[in-house]
Amino acid sequence: LREAAEKQQATVIYGDYDCDGVCGSVILKKTLDQLGIPCRIYLPDRATEGYGTNHAAFARLMEEGTQLFVTVDCGIRSNDDIAFAKAQGVDTILLDHHECGELPDTPYILNGKMPGERYPFSALCGAGIAFKLAQALLGEKAYALLEFVGVATIADMVPLVGENRILAYFGLQNLRTAPSLGFKSLMAAAGIRQMAADAQSVGFGIAPRINAAGRLAHGMLAVRLLLSENPEEAVQLAEALNALNEKRQKL
């Protein structure tokens, strides 16, 4: 990634459309922005593309000039797509927490469940792995991203023990004391009192609204909300996610 910054390589963060993938993608975008890497987020459409990477998207993104892929919360089974990118001279950095089969052909795999992995905690979610990468690259500046990894850790139902418990605890503290504009707007739309935000608020209030975007419209709505720095836009997007969640509940 430091090389990508030096060479100004056009980078695509390819995430999943659930809360973990959305939060992980946002963590990576904010991290790569700080490194000065030109990057954008791509989430597949659940209805037309389904889960994970797909050949058509990789082909289109490379035609548009993508020089590096970073997957988050997907990719560990994307052997064909990663081989296809490699054949075109495009590397893939893979951040995933799902079970491994035959590993894709890339030396850049971060997954606690990899055979022979020596990292002492194997139950991080996708955003958890993205956060560890942010820590490695940004040091203590990464702590500003704790709310995103805390929300994802609670939302993705990984065991709240060990490092996950720490990430959830400090993530909730950030959410209560200094939330990003996106989370602040989403909590207001969901009727969650900021200072009272807890694991239940995330599991039953915040996460379903983020997930509703990917399920009923497009996950990029949630990404736009979490990256927003415009109060008016953030309120509109939060209300849109709230409406989608109501529709999801009715369905």
Side-chain angles (χ1 to χ4, degrees), residues 5 38 50 65 98 108 119 140-141 174 176 190 199 232 234:
H98 295 101
Y108 314 115
Y119 189 72
E140 290 193 4
K141 281 188 192 163
N174 272 29
R176 288 184 204 121
E232 214 170 280

Side-chain angles (χ1 to χ4, degrees), residues 88-102:
Q88 318 290 315
V90 175
D91 280 327
T92 302
I93 299 171
L94 202 163
L95 281 63
D96 201 353
H97 69 117
H98 295 101
E99 297 295 335
C100 304
E102 184 191 337

Side-chain angles (χ1 to χ4, degrees), residues 220-233:
M220 285 306 291
L221 278 175
V223 166
R224 278 174 54 210
L225 170 64
L226 296 188
L227 289 173
S228 180
E229 286 171 14
N230 176 328
E232 214 170 280
E233 178 195 46

Side-chain angles (χ1 to χ4, degrees), residues 155-213:
D156 218 50
M157 311 283 282
V158 286
L160 286 183
V161 297
E163 202 167 359
N164 283 342
R165 194 170 189 85
I166 296 164
L167 294 172
Y169 176 84
F170 286 105
L172 288 171
Q173 277 199 346
N174 272 29
L175 206 57
R176 288 184 204 121
T177 55
S180 62
L181 180 60
F183 276 131
K184 199 181 176 83
S185 306
L186 193 56
M187 285 191 286
I192 296 165
R193 271 195 323 115
Q194 186 182 311
M195 285 308 293
D198 59 8
Q200 191 165 344
S201 317
V202 172
F204 294 95
I206 294 171
R209 284 164 174 79
I210 291 173
N211 283 330

Side-chain angles (χ1 to χ4, degrees), residues 1-239:
L1 284 169
R2 290 197 177 100
E3 193 182 316
E6 232 169 79
K7 294 180 176 171
Q8 286 293 287
Q9 290 184 328
T11 300
V12 165
I13 297 159
Y14 197 115
D16 184 23
Y17 40 67
D18 72 354
C19 188
D20 186 19
V22 165
C23 290
S25 297
V26 168
I27 288 169
L28 287 178
K29 174 86 170 94
K30 286 175 173 283
T31 302
L32 302 196
D33 282 350
Q34 285 189 59
L35 294 177
I37 297 174
C39 64
R40 66 178 173 118
I41 294 171
Y42 183 88
L43 303 186
D45 183 295
R46 184 173 186 255
T48 60
E49 296 174 276
Y51 168 78
T53 66
N54 69 84
H55 181 87
F58 262 44
R60 192 169 67 251
L61 290 163
M62 285 190 289
E63 266 170 37
E64 290 167 8
T66 300
Q67 295 164 287
L68 177 67
F69 286 107
V70 185
T71 71
V72 59
D73 196 29
C74 63
I76 201 67
R77 297 297 177 103
S78 299
N79 300 37
D80 292 348
D81 295 331
I82 288 168
F84 169 58
K86 189 175 186 172
Q88 318 290 315
V90 175
D91 280 327
T92 302
I93 299 171
L94 202 163
L95 281 63
D96 201 353
H97 69 117
H98 295 101
E99 297 295 335
C100 304
E102 184 191 337
L103 295 173
D105 184 15
T106 170
Y108 314 115
I109 301 177
L110 293 178
N111 184 331
K113 298 187 175 84
M114 276 244 300
E117 176 56 60
R118 293 194 304 276
Y119 189 72
F121 187 72
S122 64
L124 292 164
C125 64
I129 294 171
F131 180 75
K132 300 313 291 185
L133 182 62
Q135 269 189 301
L137 294 163
L138 305 177
E140 290 193 4
K141 281 188 192 163
Y143 295 169
L145 305 170
L146 276 163
E147 61 181 326
F148 299 101
V149 68
V151 165
T153 298
I154 294 164
D156 218 50
M157 311 283 282
V158 286
L160 286 183
V161 297
E163 202 167 359
N164 283 342
R165 194 170 189 85
I166 296 164
L167 294 172
Y169 176 84
F170 286 105
L172 288 171
Q173 277 199 346
N174 272 29
L175 206 57
R176 288 184 204 121
T177 55
S180 62
L181 180 60
F183 276 131
K184 199 181 176 83
S185 306
L186 193 56
M187 285 191 286
I192 296 165
R193 271 195 323 115
Q194 186 182 311
M195 285 308 293
D198 59 8
Q200 191 165 344
S201 317
V202 172
F204 294 95
I206 294 171
R209 284 164 174 79
I210 291 173
N211 283 330
R215 286 192 183 136
L216 297 187
H218 201 289
M220 285 306 291
L221 278 175
V223 166
R224 278 174 54 210
L225 170 64
L226 296 188
L227 289 173
S228 180
E229 286 171 14
N230 176 328
E232 214 170 280
E233 178 195 46
V235 166
Q236 282 175 352
L237 287 166
E239 283 172 359

